[in-house]
Amino acid sequence: MITTMTTATTGDNALLYTQLVTPDAATDALVSALTECWTEVSDAGGAAGFPFPPVDPAEVAASVDRIVADLDPASSRLVVATLDGTLAGWLNLRRDPHRLVAHWGTLHHVQTRLRVRGQGIGAGLVRQTRMIARDEMGLEQLRLAARGGVGLEEFYGRLGWQEVGRWPGALRLAPGDDRDEVLMVLAPL
């Protein structure tokens, strides 16, 4: 199932945010576009889950396939931004069904195509996901882990997220290039 969320414009372009909640909602063309986006972002050094460029597109495709296969209205949703009908960015919202932690969700793989950076699309994805989490999934807070040293703390901070901790040097990108893993929360939704 696909749910249309919000339409907006950036300049003369039509921007559409949608969410996918079941595996059958993802067309082959969309899966291919998600893979291309993730490969592009990762190869440019983006902190989206594949930290060692160049990435293997087959490995990225397998990860996209797993995300799509796990889509479920209660536990995993894909939020997608399209600009004039072309994929501009996406993220995955997940919740653990265990009742101890079922009141919060996590954001994964937040990313936008390089050519549309600076147009507010990533911020729009995060805002849309906040509404989905609160209004449709009944979540009370969102969490994420971000790679330190690339400005993500500031990006999320502008959207109301708070840093709640760090694991110093937890991420080793290369010898001598250790980064903190920054833990952030958005609450209440």
Side-chain angles (χ1 to χ4, degrees):
M1 175 168 54
I2 300 175
T3 304
T4 301
M5 306 272 291
T6 302
T7 57
T9 58
T10 60
D12 295 330
N13 301 313
L15 179 62
L16 178 65
Y17 294 100
T18 57
Q19 67 170 314
L20 289 75
V21 298
T22 58
D24 63 326
T27 64
D28 291 343
L30 178 60
V31 169
S32 178
L34 295 169
T35 301
E36 290 171 10
C37 178
W38 204 352
T39 301
E40 173 186 304
V41 168
S42 296
D43 282 347
F50 288 96
F52 304 109
V55 298
D56 178 356
E59 184 179 348
V60 176
S63 292
V64 169
D65 288 344
R66 281 191 296 278
I67 290 170
V68 169
D70 288 342
L71 291 176
D72 178 274
S75 62
S76 181
R77 298 181 182 211
L78 194 60
V79 183
V80 175
T82 54
L83 188 59
D84 292 333
T86 302
L87 181 75
W90 64 278
L91 63 78
N92 182 220
L93 167 62
R94 296 185 211 152
R95 86 161 350 133
D96 187 313
H98 191 283
R99 70 182 196 180
L100 181 66
V101 294
H103 63 287
W104 57 267
T106 56
L107 265 56
H108 299 270
H109 315 300
V110 180
Q111 57 194 288
T112 58
R113 301 297 298 248
L114 301 181
R115 68 180 173 275
V116 300
R117 295 268 169 95
Q119 297 182 33
I121 294 168
L125 279 166
V126 174
R127 287 186 188 105
Q128 292 298 321
T129 302
R130 179 183 193 168
M131 290 187 299
I132 293 167
R134 180 189 64 220
D135 300 342
E136 297 182 28
M137 297 178 77
L139 297 174
E140 297 171 20
Q141 64 178 268
L142 292 172
R143 299 177 182 189
L144 63 81
R147 182 190 307 168
V150 293
L152 294 174
E153 303 97 309
E154 293 82 17
F155 169 76
Y156 290 109
R158 288 191 304 270
L159 298 173
W161 291 72
Q162 295 178 356
E163 182 178 327
V164 293
R166 285 179 180 253
W167 286 322
L171 307 172
R172 177 158 294 158
L173 301 180
D177 187 8
D178 292 352
R179 306 283 178 92
D180 293 352
E181 186 164 31
V182 182
L183 309 175
M184 301 191 80
V185 67
L186 180 63
L189 297 181

